[in-house]
Amino acid sequence: MSIGIREAREALKLYFGYEQFRPMQEQIISDILQQKDVLVLMPTGGGKSVCYQVPAVVLPGLSVVVSPLIALMKDQVEALLANGIPAAYLNSSQTSEQQYAIENQCLNGQIKLLYVSPEKLLSAGFFSFLKRLQVSLFAVDEAHCISAWGHDFRPEYTQLKALKQQFPAIPVIALTATADKLTQKDIQEQLQLRQPEVFVASFDRPNINLTVLPGQNRFQKITDFLSRHHGQPGIIYCLSRKATESLAGKLRDNGYKATFYHAGMSSQLRAKAQEAFLRDDVQIVCATIAFGMGIDKSNVRWVIHYNLPKNIEGYYQEIGRAGRDGAKSDALLFYSFADVMNMRNMLSDNDKAQTELQLVKLERMQQFAEATFCRRRILLQYFGETMKKDCGNCDICRNPPSRFDGTLIVQKALSAIARTQEGVNMSLLVDVLRGSRNSQVLSGGYDRIKTYGAGRNIGTLDWHRYLHQMLNAGFVELAYDQNYTLKLTEQSRQVLFEGRQVELVKFEDAKQQTETQQREKPKREIIRDALFERLRALRKRLADQQNVPPYVVFTDSTLQEMAAEKPANRIAMLAISGVGAQKFERYGHDFINEIIAFMTEEQSKGSAIKGATHLVTWEAYQQGHSPEEIAKRRNLNPVTIYSHLATLLEQGYDIPVKDFVTKREYAAIKEAIDKLGPDAKLKDIFEHLGEQYEYFKIRLSLAMYKMQFAW
Ligand code: ADP
Ligand code: ZN
């Protein structure tokens, strides 16, 4: 077979509008085109789909994609159709007539990608149906479902080994976002892949900013956050069903478009909530972790954890739902010690070995929340990946905590623990240190110990932070089995009696943090953001007209690039990442017109936008004004207006140049350009031609020359 990576690259540009493959995609596709089996482990948003969709487009016949998530099939097929790739799916949600029609299309060679559920694939007669087709490739998506070790085991997947037995010559690509070794081995064995190439991508999601804030005043902090993420879709994960409902209600009361989602709702209500979110009809979903499994919305811009998740696996999976399109996204986690306590209480119902494991995992989660160095390092290390340097995109990297000699603080705390007979929990200890007169303090007689009130100068929140640091560093221990009372350790004795020094980390006030994030935007960014909003609104209108989710029209990253580059003609628009031929056909002109309208308005408001002035001319010209009239209205020299028209011509706009330059004039000027070269100065051409031809004619002729104008 002679189909190579060059054809694949062309297909990537033509259908998907992307300039280049991501590094691993290119190797994977080249292996598939050489008929090798491959196994791909890539995080969500890593770009797995392209790895089989592009080969499917360039290979003869059709490719079959096995996917367990029926809801996602529809999305994928919609997205492919929007890119001009004939695709269809077969699953139990369809009537037999519908299935029959699709089978016919396949037999007629009208389909390039066919998505099937595993049940359908293994159903009676389906293999013999496939044998009547020219199948070039099998893709097994969510391949971890095959492994009984994985978290998502599907028994019907284990029968997929029949694929290799029935179709030994057809290459198989297996894909998953689960990275662990055991699952990986299972997939290879069960699918009977032949000496597969295994690709393991980094699981880093560098576009997601990681931030942890103390859990006090969560609601206030959420509304602050939302004011910086105006209109952007996001998910707030809550612990309980009730919490999702009350938070959504509170947000609605505050004017936000919010809804809730949890497993206790009817499937209709759940589907409704999900659909509204997919279509950007609601901005915010308050959900339990039941939400998100089967959704493929690429423009989720942020994820908030209202409570500390149980473990890092869950946390990473949940924040991974943000920013699948690669654009800037945020993950915000609220952390309070009370949450940890709650979680521990919830866990202790399980059997003992399970509880142990879960507690260890919770502890790792807690360490992440209390990190004093790059959080992404901690995350990736947890998954066995070591980063070479700090990420620069987490709160700690952006706002590194400073250290100070905290020996005195630690001594005060330890001494108070000793004098309360190691019998108080953290909150009570802080009350004692701060000299509180609450009933617990008084009834315990703690107001009479020597360290009572010795830490009055430090706020309650800060005391908690310092105590957490002491816990993490082993200067105190928490007796989980004795009402969470604080205990001294060998290390505490060193501080109390042997003069050991201790450094503590000073955190900047959370308030200060949000303020530094709210820096003033330069004018250029304000305009860019305003244009982005306009394009987003246009996208929503077009999506509603066509009854698809907005991100199927264009992704956020594509709109962001448009807002920054302001492409106002075909060539420039096609250069935007994510604008392929089909999408340009369908949407290109609407977006170009929106950009031009926006820039014209801005220009008339007096904003100087680079590259916009000739578009204002274009706008006026289209309204039927002559160049001379435009010059008058804009208070510019007519030559300038003609020069705008020339630029527009060079950019591919339809300018009726024949109205301004005759055939004879053009022939004469062209001769001069031939002689002096297309980079010659207007003045030189003017003089060369004996000052016979007006400047504006020369300027237009130059543009015609460059565009290889044929009379
Ligand atoms: P996954 O299936 O691994 O979760 P997707 O295939 O949905 O990831 O890809 C994630 C996003 O990245 C999509 O918006 C996709 O269009 C985009 N993408 C994929 N490959 C490229 C590429 N080569 N260049 C630019 N964007 C890409
Ligand atoms: Zn970092």
Side-chain angles (χ1 to χ4, degrees), residues 664-676 681-695 697-699 701:
R664 265 193 45 233
E665 288 168 333
Y666 181 59
I669 300 173
K670 184 169 176 289
E671 222 181 281
I673 301 172
D674 275 335
K675 225 175 244 153
L676 301 175
K681 289 207 180 84
L682 288 185
K683 186 161 171 279
D684 293 341
I685 301 175
F686 181 70
E687 282 166 7
H688 181 87
L689 290 166
E691 308 190 354
Q692 276 187 55
Y693 298 90
E694 288 162 275
Y695 268 111
K697 295 194 176 196
I698 298 174
R699 176 67 188 89
S701 297

PDB file of all heavy atoms in Angstrom, residues 664-676 681-695 697-699 701:
ATOM      1  N   ARG A 664      -5.692  48.291 -21.305  1.00  0.00           N
ATOM      2  CA  ARG A 664      -4.482  48.895 -21.886  1.00  0.00           C
ATOM      3  C   ARG A 664      -3.561  49.450 -20.811  1.00  0.00           C
ATOM      4  O   ARG A 664      -2.363  49.274 -20.842  1.00  0.00           O
ATOM      5  CB  ARG A 664      -4.878  49.999 -22.882  1.00  0.00           C
ATOM      6  CG  ARG A 664      -4.940  49.484 -24.335  1.00  0.00           C
ATOM      7  CD  ARG A 664      -5.024  50.638 -25.328  1.00  0.00           C
ATOM      8  NE  ARG A 664      -4.079  51.721 -25.046  1.00  0.00           N
ATOM      9  CZ  ARG A 664      -4.471  52.985 -24.934  1.00  0.00           C
ATOM     10  NH1 ARG A 664      -5.720  53.343 -25.065  1.00  0.00           N
ATOM     11  NH2 ARG A 664      -3.548  53.927 -24.704  1.00  0.00           N
ATOM     12  N   GLU A 665      -4.187  50.160 -19.869  1.00  0.00           N
ATOM     13  CA  GLU A 665      -3.379  50.720 -18.772  1.00  0.00           C
ATOM     14  C   GLU A 665      -2.639  49.610 -18.027  1.00  0.00           C
ATOM     15  O   GLU A 665      -1.441  49.705 -17.749  1.00  0.00           O
ATOM     16  CB  GLU A 665      -4.280  51.487 -17.787  1.00  0.00           C
ATOM     17  CG  GLU A 665      -4.800  52.799 -18.351  1.00  0.00           C
ATOM     18  CD  GLU A 665      -5.917  53.409 -17.497  1.00  0.00           C
ATOM     19  OE1 GLU A 665      -6.636  52.650 -16.793  1.00  0.00           O
ATOM     20  OE2 GLU A 665      -6.064  54.630 -17.537  1.00  0.00           O
ATOM     21  N   TYR A 666      -3.387  48.521 -17.724  1.00  0.00           N
ATOM     22  CA  TYR A 666      -2.771  47.435 -16.967  1.00  0.00           C
ATOM     23  C   TYR A 666      -1.596  46.826 -17.748  1.00  0.00           C
ATOM     24  O   TYR A 666      -0.529  46.576 -17.186  1.00  0.00           O
ATOM     25  CB  TYR A 666      -3.794  46.346 -16.624  1.00  0.00           C
ATOM     26  CG  TYR A 666      -3.176  45.207 -15.820  1.00  0.00           C
ATOM     27  CD1 TYR A 666      -2.573  45.460 -14.587  1.00  0.00           C
ATOM     28  CD2 TYR A 666      -3.157  43.901 -16.308  1.00  0.00           C
ATOM     29  CE1 TYR A 666      -1.979  44.439 -13.860  1.00  0.00           C
ATOM     30  CE2 TYR A 666      -2.573  42.868 -15.589  1.00  0.00           C
ATOM     31  CZ  TYR A 666      -1.977  43.146 -14.350  1.00  0.00           C
ATOM     32  OH  TYR A 666      -1.391  42.143 -13.638  1.00  0.00           O
ATOM     33  N   ALA A 667      -1.784  46.645 -19.081  1.00  0.00           N
ATOM     34  CA  ALA A 667      -0.718  46.050 -19.892  1.00  0.00           C
ATOM     35  C   ALA A 667       0.550  46.900 -19.804  1.00  0.00           C
ATOM     36  O   ALA A 667       1.660  46.377 -19.623  1.00  0.00           O
ATOM     37  CB  ALA A 667      -1.188  45.914 -21.341  1.00  0.00           C
ATOM     38  N   ALA A 668       0.374  48.224 -19.876  1.00  0.00           N
ATOM     39  CA  ALA A 668       1.539  49.111 -19.830  1.00  0.00           C
ATOM     40  C   ALA A 668       2.234  49.051 -18.470  1.00  0.00           C
ATOM     41  O   ALA A 668       3.461  48.931 -18.370  1.00  0.00           O
ATOM     42  CB  ALA A 668       1.098  50.541 -20.145  1.00  0.00           C
ATOM     43  N   ILE A 669       1.401  49.121 -17.405  1.00  0.00           N
ATOM     44  CA  ILE A 669       1.997  49.111 -16.055  1.00  0.00           C
ATOM     45  C   ILE A 669       2.672  47.762 -15.793  1.00  0.00           C
ATOM     46  O   ILE A 669       3.752  47.683 -15.211  1.00  0.00           O
ATOM     47  CB  ILE A 669       0.925  49.424 -14.984  1.00  0.00           C
ATOM     48  CG1 ILE A 669       0.314  50.817 -15.249  1.00  0.00           C
ATOM     49  CG2 ILE A 669       1.521  49.392 -13.583  1.00  0.00           C
ATOM     50  CD1 ILE A 669      -0.875  51.167 -14.371  1.00  0.00           C
ATOM     51  N   LYS A 670       2.035  46.705 -16.270  1.00  0.00           N
ATOM     52  CA  LYS A 670       2.580  45.362 -16.063  1.00  0.00           C
ATOM     53  C   LYS A 670       3.976  45.243 -16.693  1.00  0.00           C
ATOM     54  O   LYS A 670       4.886  44.641 -16.115  1.00  0.00           O
ATOM     55  CB  LYS A 670       1.634  44.331 -16.687  1.00  0.00           C
ATOM     56  CG  LYS A 670       2.050  42.889 -16.449  1.00  0.00           C
ATOM     57  CD  LYS A 670       0.914  41.940 -16.860  1.00  0.00           C
ATOM     58  CE  LYS A 670       1.324  40.486 -16.722  1.00  0.00           C
ATOM     59  NZ  LYS A 670       2.311  40.061 -17.721  1.00  0.00           N
ATOM     60  N   GLU A 671       4.097  45.843 -17.870  1.00  0.00           N
ATOM     61  CA  GLU A 671       5.400  45.793 -18.540  1.00  0.00           C
ATOM     62  C   GLU A 671       6.480  46.427 -17.665  1.00  0.00           C
ATOM     63  O   GLU A 671       7.587  45.911 -17.522  1.00  0.00           O
ATOM     64  CB  GLU A 671       5.295  46.538 -19.863  1.00  0.00           C
ATOM     65  CG  GLU A 671       6.015  45.830 -21.009  1.00  0.00           C
ATOM     66  CD  GLU A 671       5.898  46.641 -22.282  1.00  0.00           C
ATOM     67  OE1 GLU A 671       4.813  46.558 -22.904  1.00  0.00           O
ATOM     68  OE2 GLU A 671       6.848  47.390 -22.602  1.00  0.00           O
ATOM     69  N   ALA A 672       6.098  47.579 -17.058  1.00  0.00           N
ATOM     70  CA  ALA A 672       7.049  48.268 -16.180  1.00  0.00           C
ATOM     71  C   ALA A 672       7.389  47.405 -14.967  1.00  0.00           C
ATOM     72  O   ALA A 672       8.544  47.331 -14.527  1.00  0.00           O
ATOM     73  CB  ALA A 672       6.459  49.603 -15.728  1.00  0.00           C
ATOM     74  N   ILE A 673       6.362  46.738 -14.407  1.00  0.00           N
ATOM     75  CA  ILE A 673       6.618  45.897 -13.230  1.00  0.00           C
ATOM     76  C   ILE A 673       7.534  44.732 -13.620  1.00  0.00           C
ATOM     77  O   ILE A 673       8.453  44.372 -12.885  1.00  0.00           O
ATOM     78  CB  ILE A 673       5.306  45.358 -12.626  1.00  0.00           C
ATOM     79  CG1 ILE A 673       4.385  46.525 -12.202  1.00  0.00           C
ATOM     80  CG2 ILE A 673       5.595  44.482 -11.407  1.00  0.00           C
ATOM     81  CD1 ILE A 673       2.994  46.092 -11.774  1.00  0.00           C
ATOM     82  N   ASP A 674       7.276  44.159 -14.796  1.00  0.00           N
ATOM     83  CA  ASP A 674       8.138  43.081 -15.276  1.00  0.00           C
ATOM     84  C   ASP A 674       9.595  43.527 -15.262  1.00  0.00           C
ATOM     85  O   ASP A 674      10.482  42.773 -14.885  1.00  0.00           O
ATOM     86  CB  ASP A 674       7.751  42.678 -16.711  1.00  0.00           C
ATOM     87  CG  ASP A 674       6.599  41.666 -16.713  1.00  0.00           C
ATOM     88  OD1 ASP A 674       6.461  40.954 -15.689  1.00  0.00           O
ATOM     89  OD2 ASP A 674       5.852  41.597 -17.708  1.00  0.00           O
ATOM     90  N   LYS A 675       9.786  44.760 -15.679  1.00  0.00           N
ATOM     91  CA  LYS A 675      11.154  45.268 -15.785  1.00  0.00           C
ATOM     92  C   LYS A 675      11.753  45.575 -14.411  1.00  0.00           C
ATOM     93  O   LYS A 675      12.872  45.192 -14.104  1.00  0.00           O
ATOM     94  CB  LYS A 675      11.147  46.528 -16.658  1.00  0.00           C
ATOM     95  CG  LYS A 675      12.294  46.493 -17.681  1.00  0.00           C
ATOM     96  CD  LYS A 675      12.230  47.662 -18.622  1.00  0.00           C
ATOM     97  CE  LYS A 675      11.978  47.178 -20.046  1.00  0.00           C
ATOM     98  NZ  LYS A 675      11.298  48.165 -20.901  1.00  0.00           N
ATOM     99  N   LEU A 676      10.971  46.291 -13.577  1.00  0.00           N
ATOM    100  CA  LEU A 676      11.523  46.781 -12.297  1.00  0.00           C
ATOM    101  C   LEU A 676      11.340  45.788 -11.142  1.00  0.00           C
ATOM    102  O   LEU A 676      11.914  45.972 -10.076  1.00  0.00           O
ATOM    103  CB  LEU A 676      10.869  48.114 -11.918  1.00  0.00           C
ATOM    104  CG  LEU A 676      11.048  49.243 -12.942  1.00  0.00           C
ATOM    105  CD1 LEU A 676      10.262  50.472 -12.515  1.00  0.00           C
ATOM    106  CD2 LEU A 676      12.522  49.590 -13.126  1.00  0.00           C
ATOM    107  N   LYS A 681       9.319  50.434  -5.962  1.00  0.00           N
ATOM    108  CA  LYS A 681       8.530  51.486  -5.313  1.00  0.00           C
ATOM    109  C   LYS A 681       7.542  52.070  -6.316  1.00  0.00           C
ATOM    110  O   LYS A 681       7.827  52.155  -7.513  1.00  0.00           O
ATOM    111  CB  LYS A 681       9.461  52.598  -4.840  1.00  0.00           C
ATOM    112  CG  LYS A 681      10.327  52.202  -3.669  1.00  0.00           C
ATOM    113  CD  LYS A 681      10.694  53.473  -2.860  1.00  0.00           C
ATOM    114  CE  LYS A 681      11.553  53.145  -1.680  1.00  0.00           C
ATOM    115  NZ  LYS A 681      12.997  53.041  -2.025  1.00  0.00           N
ATOM    116  N   LEU A 682       6.399  52.498  -5.803  1.00  0.00           N
ATOM    117  CA  LEU A 682       5.385  53.119  -6.667  1.00  0.00           C
ATOM    118  C   LEU A 682       5.996  54.269  -7.458  1.00  0.00           C
ATOM    119  O   LEU A 682       5.763  54.434  -8.653  1.00  0.00           O
ATOM    120  CB  LEU A 682       4.222  53.657  -5.826  1.00  0.00           C
ATOM    121  CG  LEU A 682       3.257  52.654  -5.198  1.00  0.00           C
ATOM    122  CD1 LEU A 682       2.118  53.403  -4.515  1.00  0.00           C
ATOM    123  CD2 LEU A 682       2.708  51.698  -6.244  1.00  0.00           C
ATOM    124  N   LYS A 683       6.804  55.048  -6.751  1.00  0.00           N
ATOM    125  CA  LYS A 683       7.380  56.248  -7.354  1.00  0.00           C
ATOM    126  C   LYS A 683       8.265  55.882  -8.552  1.00  0.00           C
ATOM    127  O   LYS A 683       8.218  56.544  -9.590  1.00  0.00           O
ATOM    128  CB  LYS A 683       8.195  56.978  -6.276  1.00  0.00           C
ATOM    129  CG  LYS A 683       8.753  58.309  -6.689  1.00  0.00           C
ATOM    130  CD  LYS A 683       9.120  59.141  -5.445  1.00  0.00           C
ATOM    131  CE  LYS A 683       9.890  60.394  -5.831  1.00  0.00           C
ATOM    132  NZ  LYS A 683      11.327  60.146  -6.061  1.00  0.00           N
ATOM    133  N   ASP A 684       9.052  54.796  -8.406  1.00  0.00           N
ATOM    134  CA  ASP A 684       9.935  54.383  -9.499  1.00  0.00           C
ATOM    135  C   ASP A 684       9.134  53.953 -10.723  1.00  0.00           C
ATOM    136  O   ASP A 684       9.488  54.298 -11.854  1.00  0.00           O
ATOM    137  CB  ASP A 684      10.849  53.229  -9.052  1.00  0.00           C
ATOM    138  CG  ASP A 684      11.827  53.706  -7.984  1.00  0.00           C
ATOM    139  OD1 ASP A 684      12.029  54.942  -7.887  1.00  0.00           O
ATOM    140  OD2 ASP A 684      12.360  52.856  -7.243  1.00  0.00           O
ATOM    141  N   ILE A 685       8.043  53.218 -10.463  1.00  0.00           N
ATOM    142  CA  ILE A 685       7.209  52.792 -11.595  1.00  0.00           C
ATOM    143  C   ILE A 685       6.569  54.009 -12.258  1.00  0.00           C
ATOM    144  O   ILE A 685       6.540  54.150 -13.478  1.00  0.00           O
ATOM    145  CB  ILE A 685       6.129  51.794 -11.122  1.00  0.00           C
ATOM    146  CG1 ILE A 685       6.798  50.565 -10.481  1.00  0.00           C
ATOM    147  CG2 ILE A 685       5.241  51.364 -12.286  1.00  0.00           C
ATOM    148  CD1 ILE A 685       5.817  49.567  -9.866  1.00  0.00           C
ATOM    149  N   PHE A 686       6.101  54.910 -11.396  1.00  0.00           N
ATOM    150  CA  PHE A 686       5.473  56.154 -11.860  1.00  0.00           C
ATOM    151  C   PHE A 686       6.424  56.909 -12.793  1.00  0.00           C
ATOM    152  O   PHE A 686       6.060  57.321 -13.889  1.00  0.00           O
ATOM    153  CB  PHE A 686       5.118  56.992 -10.625  1.00  0.00           C
ATOM    154  CG  PHE A 686       4.445  58.299 -10.907  1.00  0.00           C
ATOM    155  CD1 PHE A 686       3.130  58.321 -11.385  1.00  0.00           C
ATOM    156  CD2 PHE A 686       5.087  59.514 -10.672  1.00  0.00           C
ATOM    157  CE1 PHE A 686       2.494  59.528 -11.625  1.00  0.00           C
ATOM    158  CE2 PHE A 686       4.457  60.725 -10.908  1.00  0.00           C
ATOM    159  CZ  PHE A 686       3.144  60.732 -11.383  1.00  0.00           C
ATOM    160  N   GLU A 687       7.662  57.029 -12.356  1.00  0.00           N
ATOM    161  CA  GLU A 687       8.644  57.775 -13.149  1.00  0.00           C
ATOM    162  C   GLU A 687       9.045  56.998 -14.395  1.00  0.00           C
ATOM    163  O   GLU A 687       9.187  57.563 -15.481  1.00  0.00           O
ATOM    164  CB  GLU A 687       9.873  58.103 -12.290  1.00  0.00           C
ATOM    165  CG  GLU A 687       9.570  59.282 -11.359  1.00  0.00           C
ATOM    166  CD  GLU A 687      10.604  59.448 -10.250  1.00  0.00           C
ATOM    167  OE1 GLU A 687      11.628  58.734 -10.269  1.00  0.00           O
ATOM    168  OE2 GLU A 687      10.350  60.288  -9.355  1.00  0.00           O
ATOM    169  N   HIS A 688       9.196  55.693 -14.237  1.00  0.00           N
ATOM    170  CA  HIS A 688       9.554  54.854 -15.372  1.00  0.00           C
ATOM    171  C   HIS A 688       8.540  54.993 -16.512  1.00  0.00           C
ATOM    172  O   HIS A 688       8.898  54.964 -17.686  1.00  0.00           O
ATOM    173  CB  HIS A 688       9.632  53.388 -14.915  1.00  0.00           C
ATOM    174  CG  HIS A 688      10.020  52.428 -16.001  1.00  0.00           C
ATOM    175  ND1 HIS A 688      11.341  52.137 -16.316  1.00  0.00           N
ATOM    176  CD2 HIS A 688       9.273  51.695 -16.871  1.00  0.00           C
ATOM    177  CE1 HIS A 688      11.390  51.275 -17.304  1.00  0.00           C
ATOM    178  NE2 HIS A 688      10.137  50.983 -17.664  1.00  0.00           N
ATOM    179  N   LEU A 689       7.286  55.171 -16.116  1.00  0.00           N
ATOM    180  CA  LEU A 689       6.225  55.286 -17.121  1.00  0.00           C
ATOM    181  C   LEU A 689       5.998  56.737 -17.553  1.00  0.00           C
ATOM    182  O   LEU A 689       4.951  57.076 -18.111  1.00  0.00           O
ATOM    183  CB  LEU A 689       4.922  54.694 -16.583  1.00  0.00           C
ATOM    184  CG  LEU A 689       4.911  53.161 -16.429  1.00  0.00           C
ATOM    185  CD1 LEU A 689       3.734  52.712 -15.590  1.00  0.00           C
ATOM    186  CD2 LEU A 689       4.878  52.487 -17.798  1.00  0.00           C
ATOM    187  N   GLY A 690       6.961  57.567 -17.272  1.00  0.00           N
ATOM    188  CA  GLY A 690       6.883  58.952 -17.717  1.00  0.00           C
ATOM    189  C   GLY A 690       5.761  59.726 -17.047  1.00  0.00           C
ATOM    190  O   GLY A 690       5.166  60.619 -17.651  1.00  0.00           O
ATOM    191  N   GLU A 691       5.436  59.373 -15.793  1.00  0.00           N
ATOM    192  CA  GLU A 691       4.445  60.071 -14.975  1.00  0.00           C
ATOM    193  C   GLU A 691       3.091  60.154 -15.672  1.00  0.00           C
ATOM    194  O   GLU A 691       2.327  61.086 -15.477  1.00  0.00           O
ATOM    195  CB  GLU A 691       4.962  61.469 -14.581  1.00  0.00           C
ATOM    196  CG  GLU A 691       6.344  61.396 -13.950  1.00  0.00           C
ATOM    197  CD  GLU A 691       6.799  62.714 -13.331  1.00  0.00           C
ATOM    198  OE1 GLU A 691       6.088  63.714 -13.487  1.00  0.00           O
ATOM    199  OE2 GLU A 691       7.849  62.708 -12.662  1.00  0.00           O
ATOM    200  N   GLN A 692       2.791  59.146 -16.501  1.00  0.00           N
ATOM    201  CA  GLN A 692       1.536  59.159 -17.260  1.00  0.00           C
ATOM    202  C   GLN A 692       0.377  58.534 -16.514  1.00  0.00           C
ATOM    203  O   GLN A 692      -0.772  58.803 -16.810  1.00  0.00           O
ATOM    204  CB  GLN A 692       1.727  58.348 -18.535  1.00  0.00           C
ATOM    205  CG  GLN A 692       2.346  59.104 -19.662  1.00  0.00           C
ATOM    206  CD  GLN A 692       2.307  58.218 -20.893  1.00  0.00           C
ATOM    207  OE1 GLN A 692       1.244  57.738 -21.285  1.00  0.00           O
ATOM    208  NE2 GLN A 692       3.470  58.002 -21.498  1.00  0.00           N
ATOM    209  N   TYR A 693       0.689  57.632 -15.587  1.00  0.00           N
ATOM    210  CA  TYR A 693      -0.383  56.880 -14.935  1.00  0.00           C
ATOM    211  C   TYR A 693      -0.503  57.279 -13.471  1.00  0.00           C
ATOM    212  O   TYR A 693       0.519  57.436 -12.791  1.00  0.00           O
ATOM    213  CB  TYR A 693      -0.108  55.372 -15.041  1.00  0.00           C
ATOM    214  CG  TYR A 693      -0.069  54.899 -16.465  1.00  0.00           C
ATOM    215  CD1 TYR A 693       1.136  54.899 -17.174  1.00  0.00           C
ATOM    216  CD2 TYR A 693      -1.238  54.483 -17.099  1.00  0.00           C
ATOM    217  CE1 TYR A 693       1.184  54.483 -18.485  1.00  0.00           C
ATOM    218  CE2 TYR A 693      -1.196  54.066 -18.420  1.00  0.00           C
ATOM    219  CZ  TYR A 693       0.010  54.058 -19.115  1.00  0.00           C
ATOM    220  OH  TYR A 693       0.039  53.655 -20.418  1.00  0.00           O
ATOM    221  N   GLU A 694      -1.746  57.422 -13.041  1.00  0.00           N
ATOM    222  CA  GLU A 694      -1.931  57.885 -11.661  1.00  0.00           C
ATOM    223  C   GLU A 694      -1.449  56.832 -10.657  1.00  0.00           C
ATOM    224  O   GLU A 694      -1.490  55.639 -10.937  1.00  0.00           O
ATOM    225  CB  GLU A 694      -3.418  58.175 -11.403  1.00  0.00           C
ATOM    226  CG  GLU A 694      -3.884  59.426 -12.116  1.00  0.00           C
ATOM    227  CD  GLU A 694      -5.393  59.456 -12.225  1.00  0.00           C
ATOM    228  OE1 GLU A 694      -5.938  58.854 -13.176  1.00  0.00           O
ATOM    229  OE2 GLU A 694      -6.013  60.053 -11.329  1.00  0.00           O
ATOM    230  N   TYR A 695      -1.073  57.332  -9.483  1.00  0.00           N
ATOM    231  CA  TYR A 695      -0.544  56.440  -8.449  1.00  0.00           C
ATOM    232  C   TYR A 695      -1.510  55.312  -8.114  1.00  0.00           C
ATOM    233  O   TYR A 695      -1.139  54.162  -7.939  1.00  0.00           O
ATOM    234  CB  TYR A 695      -0.221  57.224  -7.168  1.00  0.00           C
ATOM    235  CG  TYR A 695       1.208  57.712  -7.141  1.00  0.00           C
ATOM    236  CD1 TYR A 695       1.509  59.064  -7.240  1.00  0.00           C
ATOM    237  CD2 TYR A 695       2.255  56.796  -7.005  1.00  0.00           C
ATOM    238  CE1 TYR A 695       2.821  59.515  -7.223  1.00  0.00           C
ATOM    239  CE2 TYR A 695       3.569  57.235  -6.984  1.00  0.00           C
ATOM    240  CZ  TYR A 695       3.852  58.595  -7.091  1.00  0.00           C
ATOM    241  OH  TYR A 695       5.128  59.012  -7.067  1.00  0.00           O
ATOM    242  N   LYS A 697      -3.652  53.821  -9.808  1.00  0.00           N
ATOM    243  CA  LYS A 697      -3.718  52.769 -10.828  1.00  0.00           C
ATOM    244  C   LYS A 697      -2.505  51.844 -10.711  1.00  0.00           C
ATOM    245  O   LYS A 697      -2.606  50.630 -10.895  1.00  0.00           O
ATOM    246  CB  LYS A 697      -3.790  53.378 -12.226  1.00  0.00           C
ATOM    247  CG  LYS A 697      -5.064  54.149 -12.425  1.00  0.00           C
ATOM    248  CD  LYS A 697      -5.381  54.493 -13.848  1.00  0.00           C
ATOM    249  CE  LYS A 697      -6.743  55.186 -13.832  1.00  0.00           C
ATOM    250  NZ  LYS A 697      -7.387  55.278 -15.100  1.00  0.00           N
ATOM    251  N   ILE A 698      -1.380  52.449 -10.417  1.00  0.00           N
ATOM    252  CA  ILE A 698      -0.163  51.636 -10.256  1.00  0.00           C
ATOM    253  C   ILE A 698      -0.299  50.718  -9.037  1.00  0.00           C
ATOM    254  O   ILE A 698       0.019  49.528  -9.082  1.00  0.00           O
ATOM    255  CB  ILE A 698       1.077  52.554 -10.117  1.00  0.00           C
ATOM    256  CG1 ILE A 698       1.237  53.380 -11.398  1.00  0.00           C
ATOM    257  CG2 ILE A 698       2.327  51.732  -9.851  1.00  0.00           C
ATOM    258  CD1 ILE A 698       2.329  54.427 -11.339  1.00  0.00           C
ATOM    259  N   ARG A 699      -0.825  51.285  -7.944  1.00  0.00           N
ATOM    260  CA  ARG A 699      -0.975  50.493  -6.715  1.00  0.00           C
ATOM    261  C   ARG A 699      -1.894  49.282  -6.974  1.00  0.00           C
ATOM    262  O   ARG A 699      -1.588  48.150  -6.594  1.00  0.00           O
ATOM    263  CB  ARG A 699      -1.554  51.378  -5.608  1.00  0.00           C
ATOM    264  CG  ARG A 699      -1.840  50.657  -4.296  1.00  0.00           C
ATOM    265  CD  ARG A 699      -0.555  50.189  -3.627  1.00  0.00           C
ATOM    266  NE  ARG A 699      -0.823  49.325  -2.466  1.00  0.00           N
ATOM    267  CZ  ARG A 699      -0.966  48.024  -2.513  1.00  0.00           C
ATOM    268  NH1 ARG A 699      -0.889  47.383  -3.677  1.00  0.00           N
ATOM    269  NH2 ARG A 699      -1.205  47.323  -1.423  1.00  0.00           N
ATOM    270  N   SER A 701      -2.608  47.943  -9.876  1.00  0.00           N
ATOM    271  CA  SER A 701      -1.984  47.028 -10.835  1.00  0.00           C
ATOM    272  C   SER A 701      -0.968  46.122 -10.145  1.00  0.00           C
ATOM    273  O   SER A 701      -0.840  44.941 -10.479  1.00  0.00           O
ATOM    274  CB  SER A 701      -1.286  47.811 -11.950  1.00  0.00           C
ATOM    275  OG  SER A 701      -2.248  48.549 -12.666  1.00  0.00           O
TER     276      SER A 701
END
